[in-house]
Amino acid sequence: MNTMSESLQKLQNRILSDARLKAQETIKEAQANAQQTLEEARRRAQKESEEIIAKARVEAENVRRSILSSKVRVNRLRILDEKNRIVQDIIHTVEDQLSSIATTDQFENTAQRFVAEAVKAVESDQPIVRIGFKDATKKNLDGMSRVLPKGGKLVIDEKPIDDFGGVIATDPEGRVVFNNTFKSRLERLDNQLLTLIASTVFSE
Protein backbone atom coordinates (compact mmCIF):
# COMPACT_ATOMS: atom_id res chain seq x y z
CA MET A 1 0.00 0.00 0.00
CA ASN A 2 2.81 2.32 0.81
CA THR A 3 4.46 1.45 -2.47
CA MET A 4 1.26 2.28 -4.34
CA SER A 5 0.94 5.57 -2.50
CA GLU A 6 4.49 6.42 -3.39
CA SER A 7 3.84 5.55 -7.06
CA LEU A 8 0.73 7.71 -7.10
CA GLN A 9 2.68 10.50 -5.47
CA LYS A 10 5.40 10.23 -8.07
CA LEU A 11 2.86 10.17 -10.86
CA GLN A 12 1.14 13.19 -9.38
CA ASN A 13 4.46 15.01 -9.04
CA ARG A 14 5.41 14.19 -12.63
CA ILE A 15 2.03 15.38 -13.87
CA LEU A 16 2.40 18.58 -11.87
CA SER A 17 5.96 19.02 -13.11
CA ASP A 18 4.88 18.50 -16.72
CA ALA A 19 2.05 20.93 -16.16
CA ARG A 20 4.43 23.51 -14.73
CA LEU A 21 6.82 23.07 -17.68
CA LYS A 22 3.93 23.42 -20.14
CA ALA A 23 2.67 26.45 -18.27
CA GLN A 24 6.13 28.03 -18.33
CA GLU A 25 6.48 27.25 -22.06
CA THR A 26 3.03 28.69 -22.69
CA ILE A 27 3.93 31.83 -20.72
CA LYS A 28 7.26 32.15 -22.57
CA GLU A 29 5.52 31.64 -25.92
CA ALA A 30 2.87 34.16 -24.96
CA GLN A 31 5.57 36.61 -23.87
CA ALA A 32 7.48 36.01 -27.11
CA ASN A 33 4.30 36.51 -29.14
CA ALA A 34 3.49 39.62 -27.17
CA GLN A 35 7.02 40.94 -27.72
CA GLN A 36 6.80 40.16 -31.45
CA THR A 37 3.37 41.80 -31.67
CA LEU A 38 4.71 44.83 -29.81
CA GLU A 39 7.75 45.06 -32.13
CA GLU A 40 5.52 44.74 -35.19
CA ALA A 41 3.22 47.39 -33.80
CA ARG A 42 6.19 49.66 -33.15
CA ARG A 43 7.58 49.09 -36.66
CA ARG A 44 4.15 49.69 -38.19
CA ALA A 45 3.68 52.82 -36.13
CA GLN A 46 7.19 54.01 -37.11
CA LYS A 47 6.49 53.33 -40.78
CA GLU A 48 3.12 55.09 -40.63
CA SER A 49 4.73 57.98 -38.80
CA GLU A 50 7.49 58.26 -41.43
CA GLU A 51 4.89 58.13 -44.24
CA ILE A 52 2.81 60.84 -42.57
CA ILE A 53 5.91 63.01 -42.07
CA ALA A 54 6.96 62.45 -45.71
CA LYS A 55 3.47 63.39 -46.94
CA ALA A 56 3.46 66.41 -44.67
CA ARG A 57 6.82 67.51 -46.06
CA VAL A 58 5.54 67.12 -49.63
CA GLU A 59 2.41 69.11 -48.77
CA ALA A 60 4.48 71.77 -47.03
CA GLU A 61 6.77 72.04 -50.08
CA ASN A 62 3.73 72.29 -52.39
CA VAL A 63 2.27 75.03 -50.20
CA ARG A 64 5.63 76.84 -50.14
CA ARG A 65 5.91 76.65 -53.94
CA SER A 66 2.30 77.76 -54.30
CA ILE A 67 2.95 80.77 -52.04
CA LEU A 68 6.14 81.65 -53.94
CA SER A 69 4.31 81.24 -57.25
CA SER A 70 1.48 83.46 -55.98
CA LYS A 71 4.00 86.10 -54.86
CA VAL A 72 5.71 85.95 -58.26
CA ARG A 73 2.35 86.33 -60.03
CA VAL A 74 1.35 89.22 -57.76
CA ASN A 75 4.71 90.94 -58.35
CA ARG A 76 4.40 90.43 -62.10
CA LEU A 77 0.88 91.86 -62.05
CA ARG A 78 2.08 94.84 -60.00
CA ILE A 79 4.92 95.45 -62.46
CA LEU A 80 2.51 95.08 -65.39
CA ASP A 81 0.04 97.49 -63.76
CA GLU A 82 2.83 100.00 -63.17
CA LYS A 83 4.02 99.67 -66.78
CA ASN A 84 0.46 100.14 -68.04
CA ARG A 85 0.09 103.21 -65.81
CA ILE A 86 3.31 104.68 -67.21
CA VAL A 87 2.19 103.97 -70.80
CA GLN A 88 -1.21 105.57 -70.14
CA ASP A 89 0.50 108.61 -68.56
CA ILE A 90 2.59 108.99 -71.72
CA ILE A 91 -0.51 108.69 -73.91
CA HIS A 92 -2.34 111.31 -71.82
CA THR A 93 0.66 113.63 -72.20
CA VAL A 94 0.58 113.07 -75.97
CA GLU A 95 -3.17 113.76 -76.00
CA ASP A 96 -2.66 117.03 -74.07
CA GLN A 97 0.03 118.12 -76.51
CA LEU A 98 -2.11 117.21 -79.53
CA SER A 99 -5.12 119.08 -78.15
CA SER A 100 -2.96 122.23 -77.90
CA ILE A 101 -1.58 122.02 -81.43
CA ALA A 102 -3.49 125.16 -82.54
CA THR A 103 -1.02 127.24 -80.52
CA THR A 104 2.02 125.82 -82.39
CA ASP A 105 3.66 126.58 -85.74
CA GLN A 106 2.72 123.11 -87.00
CA PHE A 107 -1.00 123.76 -86.80
CA GLU A 108 -1.81 125.07 -90.27
CA ASN A 109 0.05 122.35 -92.14
CA THR A 110 -1.37 119.64 -89.86
CA ALA A 111 -4.96 120.90 -90.17
CA GLN A 112 -4.70 121.19 -93.97
CA ARG A 113 -3.38 117.61 -94.15
CA PHE A 114 -6.29 116.38 -91.98
CA VAL A 115 -8.78 118.14 -94.28
CA ALA A 116 -7.15 116.79 -97.46
CA GLU A 117 -7.13 113.22 -96.10
CA ALA A 118 -10.79 113.45 -95.06
CA VAL A 119 -11.87 114.89 -98.43
CA LYS A 120 -10.02 112.14 -100.27
CA ALA A 121 -11.63 109.47 -98.07
CA VAL A 122 -15.26 110.49 -98.75
CA GLU A 123 -14.63 110.68 -102.53
CA SER A 124 -17.13 113.50 -103.17
CA ASP A 125 -16.93 116.67 -105.26
CA GLN A 126 -19.10 118.43 -102.70
CA PRO A 127 -17.80 117.31 -99.32
CA ILE A 128 -18.92 118.93 -96.10
CA VAL A 129 -15.97 119.28 -93.75
CA ARG A 130 -16.34 120.11 -90.08
CA ILE A 131 -13.21 121.31 -88.36
CA GLY A 132 -12.63 122.18 -84.71
CA PHE A 133 -9.52 122.53 -82.57
CA LYS A 134 -8.95 123.90 -79.10
CA ASP A 135 -7.79 127.56 -79.17
CA ALA A 136 -8.05 127.68 -82.99
CA THR A 137 -9.00 131.09 -84.43
CA LYS A 138 -11.00 131.84 -87.54
CA LYS A 139 -7.87 133.40 -88.98
CA ASN A 140 -5.76 130.26 -88.83
CA LEU A 141 -8.69 128.12 -90.05
CA ASP A 142 -9.58 130.21 -93.10
CA GLY A 143 -6.66 128.68 -94.98
CA MET A 144 -8.32 125.26 -94.85
CA SER A 145 -10.69 126.23 -97.67
CA ARG A 146 -7.89 126.12 -100.21
CA VAL A 147 -7.59 122.32 -99.90
CA LEU A 148 -11.33 121.83 -100.51
CA PRO A 149 -12.74 121.14 -103.99
CA LYS A 150 -14.79 124.01 -105.46
CA GLY A 151 -18.09 122.46 -104.39
CA GLY A 152 -16.87 121.72 -100.87
CA LYS A 153 -18.09 123.40 -97.71
CA LEU A 154 -16.08 124.15 -94.58
CA VAL A 155 -17.90 124.28 -91.23
CA ILE A 156 -15.88 125.65 -88.31
CA ASP A 157 -16.79 124.39 -84.83
CA GLU A 158 -16.08 126.63 -81.85
CA LYS A 159 -15.16 123.62 -79.70
CA PRO A 160 -12.62 120.87 -80.45
CA ILE A 161 -14.24 117.97 -82.27
CA ASP A 162 -14.02 114.61 -80.49
CA ASP A 163 -12.28 116.05 -77.38
CA PHE A 164 -8.81 116.66 -78.86
CA GLY A 165 -9.73 118.34 -82.12
CA GLY A 166 -9.73 117.30 -85.75
CA VAL A 167 -11.78 117.00 -88.90
CA ILE A 168 -14.91 115.08 -89.90
CA ALA A 169 -15.88 114.92 -93.59
CA THR A 170 -19.13 113.69 -95.16
CA ASP A 171 -20.65 113.59 -98.61
CA PRO A 172 -23.62 115.98 -99.19
CA GLU A 173 -26.15 113.28 -98.24
CA GLY A 174 -24.28 112.29 -95.08
CA ARG A 175 -24.06 108.65 -96.16
CA VAL A 176 -20.27 108.52 -96.12
CA VAL A 177 -18.50 109.77 -93.01
CA PHE A 178 -14.77 109.89 -92.37
CA ASN A 179 -13.59 110.76 -88.88
CA ASN A 180 -10.11 112.26 -89.04
CA THR A 181 -9.79 113.58 -85.49
CA PHE A 182 -6.80 113.07 -83.22
CA LYS A 183 -8.88 110.71 -81.10
CA SER A 184 -9.89 108.49 -84.02
CA ARG A 185 -6.32 108.46 -85.35
CA LEU A 186 -5.03 107.38 -81.94
CA GLU A 187 -7.66 104.65 -81.77
CA ARG A 188 -6.66 103.39 -85.23
CA LEU A 189 -3.04 103.25 -84.08
CA ASP A 190 -3.91 101.94 -80.62
CA ASN A 191 -2.02 98.63 -80.59
CA GLN A 192 0.94 99.96 -82.58
CA LEU A 193 1.19 102.99 -80.32
CA LEU A 194 1.07 100.94 -77.12
CA THR A 195 3.70 98.52 -78.48
CA LEU A 196 5.94 101.38 -79.61
CA ILE A 197 5.76 103.19 -76.27
CA ALA A 198 6.31 99.98 -74.26
CA SER A 199 9.25 98.83 -76.38
CA THR A 200 10.84 102.28 -76.27
CA VAL A 201 10.39 102.91 -72.55
CA PHE A 202 10.92 99.37 -71.23
CA SER A 203 13.48 98.00 -73.69
CA GLU A 204 16.29 96.19 -71.90
Side-chain angles (χ1 to χ4, degrees), residues 14-33:
R14 192 167 65 249
I15 290 170
L16 286 172
S17 177
D18 288 346
R20 288 191 189 99
L21 285 173
K22 286 184 179 179
Q24 288 174 356
E25 287 175 0
T26 301
I27 290 168
K28 285 181 181 178
E29 187 178 348
Q31 287 175 338
N33 287 338

Side-chain angles (χ1 to χ4, degrees), residues 7-172:
S7 297
L8 287 172
Q9 184 66 37
K10 286 179 181 179
L11 180 61
Q12 184 179 350
N13 289 341
R14 192 167 65 249
I15 290 170
L16 286 172
S17 177
D18 288 346
R20 288 191 189 99
L21 285 173
K22 286 184 179 179
Q24 288 174 356
E25 287 175 0
T26 301
I27 290 168
K28 285 181 181 178
E29 187 178 348
Q31 287 175 338
N33 287 338
Q35 185 66 25
Q36 184 179 356
T37 302
L38 182 61
E39 289 298 324
E40 287 178 357
R42 283 176 179 168
R43 283 197 297 270
R44 189 164 58 248
Q46 180 68 21
K47 185 179 178 183
E48 289 175 356
S49 175
E50 289 173 355
E51 288 176 352
I52 290 170
I53 290 171
K55 287 180 180 178
R57 283 176 178 161
V58 170
E59 288 297 321
E61 180 62 18
N62 289 338
V63 170
R64 187 184 72 84
R65 287 179 180 173
S66 177
I67 290 170
L68 287 176
S69 178
S70 296
K71 286 182 178 178
V72 168
R73 284 197 300 271
V74 168
N75 286 336
R76 283 178 180 167
L77 288 173
R78 284 177 180 168
I79 292 170
L80 184 60
D81 284 344
E82 185 62 18
K83 284 184 175 181
N84 287 337
R85 188 189 64 76
I86 291 170
V87 170
Q88 290 304 318
D89 284 347
I90 292 171
I91 290 176
H92 291 324
T93 301
V94 170
E95 290 171 347
D96 288 341
Q97 291 176 347
L98 291 176
S99 66
S100 301
I101 195 171
T103 60
T104 69
D105 296 337
Q106 306 167 19
F107 175 64
E108 190 169 350
N109 288 336
T110 300
Q112 285 182 358
R113 180 162 53 86
F114 276 33
V115 171
E117 289 171 355
V119 168
K120 183 178 180 182
V122 296
E123 296 181 341
S124 172
D125 294 332
Q126 297 177 312
I128 299 172
V129 178
R130 285 179 53 222
I131 185 168
F133 288 89
K134 178 185 174 183
D135 298 325
T137 63
K138 189 174 183 304
K139 181 180 178 182
N140 58 16
L141 289 174
D142 281 342
M144 302 305 113
S145 299
R146 70 176 67 119
V147 294
L148 289 177
K150 290 182 179 178
K153 178 181 179 183
L154 184 70
V155 179
I156 299 174
D157 281 22
E158 293 182 2
K159 295 182 178 179
I161 296 176
D162 220 358
D163 296 331
F164 309 127
V167 171
I168 296 178
T170 65
D171 63 349

